[in-house]
């Protein structure tokens, strides 16, 4: 389980909008801190952590939507939702693969051979699910999404 991130700049004397911006930007950075690991694809924890962070970010955006202009906010929200969904497709397969790998250890040798075929099939599906995820990251980089997102949500004091 991920530990809670520290969000600086939150105080009772700050406006709700200022606090919302700080929270959203902090959650965005948390999400993106897992991007390299998710791209590399070796450690399934990175995909899980990035997806979980994207869900926390979306929850914060849901809670503070009224603090922002509707149209630009909506564009950024949709992109974060796309990240969550794309990560989810990979994460779901990671969970299944891990489950069957653990279960295989309790089976007979013949059953292990059968389940290994299923695991290999799921691993192929995972690789296929990673392609849209990797393409999304390339698209986000090419469109300079990060700069646009952070510029929109930067704190105005």
């Amino acid at each position: 389980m991920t530990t809670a991130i520290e969000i600086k700049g939150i105080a009772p004397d700050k406006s709700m909008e200022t606090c919302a911006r700080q929270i959203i930007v902090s959650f965005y950075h948390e999400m993106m801190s897992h991007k390299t690991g998710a791209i590399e694809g070796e450690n399934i924890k990175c995909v899980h952590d990035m997806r979980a962070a994207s869900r926390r970010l979306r929850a914060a955006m849901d809670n503070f939507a009224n603090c922002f202009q509707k149209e630009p906010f909506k564009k950024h929200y949709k992109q974060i939702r796309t990240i969550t969904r794309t990560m989810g497709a990979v994460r779901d397969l990671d969970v299944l693969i891990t489950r069957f790998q653990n279960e295989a250890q309790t089976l007979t040798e013949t059953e292990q051979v059968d389940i290994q075929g299923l695991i290999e099939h799921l691993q192929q599906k995972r690789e296929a699910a990673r392609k849209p995820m990797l393409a999304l990251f390339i698209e986000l980089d090419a469109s300079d999404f990060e700069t646009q997102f952070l510029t929109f949500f930067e704190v105005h004091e």
Side-chain angles (χ1 to χ4, degrees):
M1 183 171 184
T2 318
T3 58
I5 62 169
E6 182 181 341
I7 301 173
K8 297 178 182 183
I10 305 297
D13 62 336
K14 303 282 182 172
S15 72
M16 181 175 314
E17 180 183 338
T18 297
C19 293
R21 289 177 184 281
Q22 286 297 123
I23 291 167
I24 289 169
V25 167
S26 296
F27 283 154
Y28 180 84
H29 286 302
E30 178 198 9
M31 177 184 76
M32 295 307 282
S33 73
H34 304 290
K35 180 180 168 191
T36 300
I39 289 170
E40 291 169 355
E42 298 302 315
N43 183 349
I44 66 171
K45 187 176 181 324
C46 294
V47 170
H48 168 69
D49 290 347
M50 186 169 184
R51 180 171 178 253
S54 75
R55 292 177 73 181
R56 283 190 288 279
L57 172 57
R58 275 186 35 223
M61 292 175 79
D62 283 336
N63 287 326
F64 297 117
N66 291 334
C67 294
F68 303 98
Q69 293 175 349
K70 186 175 182 174
E71 285 311 309
F73 178 87
K74 200 167 149 181
K75 179 183 88 167
H76 295 303
Y77 183 86
K78 284 181 179 181
Q79 200 63 282
I80 300 302
R81 186 178 64 209
T82 299
I83 292 169
T84 303
R85 287 181 178 164
T86 305
M87 302 299 295
V90 178
R91 176 64 183 158
D92 290 348
L93 290 163
D94 285 341
V95 169
L96 281 172
I97 291 166
T98 301
R99 178 180 175 207
F100 287 124
Q101 286 172 334
N102 292 337
E103 210 169 286
Q105 298 171 12
T106 65
L107 302 175
T108 66
E109 200 171 306
T110 304
E111 292 169 328
Q112 285 181 11
V113 170
D114 292 339
I115 208 163
Q116 187 57 40
L118 175 60
I119 291 168
E120 288 169 10
H121 173 74
L122 292 172
Q123 287 170 332
Q124 290 171 357
K125 286 182 75 167
R126 180 185 188 270
E127 284 309 305
R130 281 179 45 76
K131 288 178 183 173
M133 180 190 78
L134 297 173
L136 175 62
F137 291 150
I138 290 168
E139 176 188 322
L140 293 175
D141 289 344
S143 70
D144 205 21
F145 173 72
E146 182 164 3
T147 300
Q148 293 173 30
F149 186 94
L150 293 174
T151 299
F152 180 76
F153 288 106
E154 71 185 345
V155 175
H156 307 286
E157 289 190 85

